[in-house]
Amino acid sequence: MQTVRTPDDRFADLPDYPFEPHYAKVPDGDGGTLRVHYLDEGPADAAPILLLHGEPSWSYLYRFMIPPLVAAGHRVIVPDQVGFGRSDKPTEQSDYTYARHVAWMSALVFDHLDLTDCTFFGQDWGGLIGLRLVAAQPERFARVAVGNTGLPTGDQQPSEAFLRWQQFSQTTPTFDVGFLINAASVRDLDPAEVAAYDAPFPDDSYKAGARTWPALVVTSPDDPEAGPNKEAWEVLRSFDKPFLCCFSDSDLVTAGGDKPFRTLIAGAQGQSHRTIEGGGHFFQEDCGPELAQLLNDFIAATL
């Protein structure tokens, strides 16, 4: 597996991102290893919060949420998925599979960090991968929150908005990451913030993962990960620890995606699910402090 690694100077002096980098080596699934980056903020002995990003962002997405979570006394872990941020980037689209992404994060979260008593929050692909981790080792997780995400099995027709996005991602000659994140947020990011989302990708050779992810979403029962996602749902149905939905009100791609979680998962019953007003797909950009406060309140209410 051939990889590229974004030069460190691309990450110098990014706005509102003063966090120290941490790295781990994980098996790449092809006989080698990958270097995975993660943030680890707050007291080392506190119960951890795991925040997972999705497509095509990186840990920069959580910069407005980390400080209020740490101020409440929590340890906050924010990885960069393989192919994104400061993590290594395989150069071939065929190197990326849903199963490999789950394995890469499992190696970091379970084998390297050995997280327990964990609160998980995932958005977009952060949910698709993180919920597989929860289903694989539910005993490690004290509670779960999700927003603007899903765990598709291919049995339901994807939204037209998602299908358009999927087609665009595979056919557009220019995959402009900063522009895309700005377009899927309600507020207008300033140029330095847009540049920070572009920072991990000096040129197209770094974007194989970003281009591939939309095509890996399960949209058919014949998809190779349809079965594993169905198995994960069977575990999640009986997951009786607190499970909170906090989707935003202005995301066409995942609109209505909270219903299966709210209705099917045992731990979601009786929770104070919230719709975050004024939030686009990347509602961490639009409503980050509000979302962090929601997580703080959720943890405090379910200790």
Side-chain angles (χ1 to χ4, degrees):
M1 187 180 293
Q2 300 298 311
T3 64
V4 288
R5 182 175 294 172
T6 306
D8 285 343
D9 61 10
R10 298 275 300 184
F11 302 101
D13 301 321
L14 300 182
D16 301 307
Y17 191 80
F19 313 112
E20 190 74 19
H22 299 264
Y23 298 99
K25 291 284 189 180
V26 305
D28 66 3
D30 195 34
T33 60
L34 294 164
R35 191 182 77 166
V36 176
H37 168 257
Y38 62 97
L39 305 179
D40 190 345
E41 297 288 317
D45 59 350
I49 302 174
L50 173 65
L51 306 175
L52 284 187
H53 75 83
E55 159 81 2
S57 61
W58 61 291
S59 54
Y60 187 75
L61 181 68
Y62 286 103
R63 69 196 180 281
F64 297 135
M65 295 178 60
I66 295 169
L69 293 172
V70 169
H74 303 302
R75 178 188 180 192
V76 184
I77 307 290
V78 193
D80 286 339
Q81 307 266 10
V82 171
F84 299 84
R86 299 182 83 140
S87 291
D88 283 351
K89 299 168 182 67
T91 56
E92 298 297 325
Q93 288 187 244
S94 59
D95 291 331
Y96 296 88
T97 68
Y98 193 158
R100 276 183 169 173
H101 273 291
V102 173
W104 292 329
M105 277 299 107
S106 295
L108 175 69
V109 172
F110 300 152
D111 302 335
H112 178 75
L113 292 169
D114 192 25
L115 299 186
T116 58
D117 193 26
C118 185
T119 298
F120 167 65
F121 173 79
Q123 179 258 345
D124 192 271
W125 263 99
L128 274 73
I129 293 168
L131 289 171
R132 288 277 292 271
L133 303 188
V134 174
Q137 298 196 34
E139 69 279 1
R140 290 180 178 266
F141 295 88
R143 63 191 63 77
V144 170
V146 293
N148 295 356
T149 190
L151 189 63
T153 61
D155 295 320
Q156 302 294 326
Q157 177 70 16
S159 69
E160 285 301 318
F162 172 76
L163 291 175
R164 287 195 300 271
W165 156 241
Q166 189 181 57
Q167 182 180 26
F168 171 86
S169 70
Q170 302 309 298
T171 59
T172 181
T174 302
F175 197 83
D176 189 337
V177 170
F179 170 84
L180 290 169
I181 291 173
N182 190 34
S185 304
V186 168
R187 76 178 183 92
D188 286 327
L189 278 62
D190 68 38
E193 291 173 314
V194 173
Y197 281 113
D198 287 326
F201 310 107
D203 59 51
D204 276 354
S205 69
Y206 292 77
K207 296 181 182 179
R211 279 193 176 271
T212 303
W213 242 357
L216 297 181
V217 174
V218 176
T219 57
S220 164
D222 299 325
D223 188 284
E225 293 305 299
N229 275 9
K230 289 177 182 178
E231 293 170 5
W233 265 110
E234 289 307 308
V235 176
L236 292 171
R237 285 173 186 269
S238 59
F239 185 82
D240 59 2
K241 299 170 189 176
F243 192 107
L244 183 71
C245 292
C246 41
F247 282 55
S248 70
D249 65 349
S250 300
D251 180 22
L252 295 177
V253 173
T254 64
D258 56 329
K259 184 176 180 180
F261 297 121
R262 289 190 289 103
T263 57
L264 298 177
I265 295 177
Q269 308 313 306
Q271 297 297 330
S272 299
H273 304 296
R274 282 275 304 280
T275 299
I276 307 295
E277 297 182 359
H281 182 66
F282 297 107
F283 62 155
Q284 299 97 321
E285 284 293 343
D286 301 315
C287 315
E290 179 184 352
L291 185 53
Q293 186 60 53
L294 184 62
L295 292 180
N296 280 333
D297 293 344
F298 177 48
I299 295 168
T302 54
L303 288 173

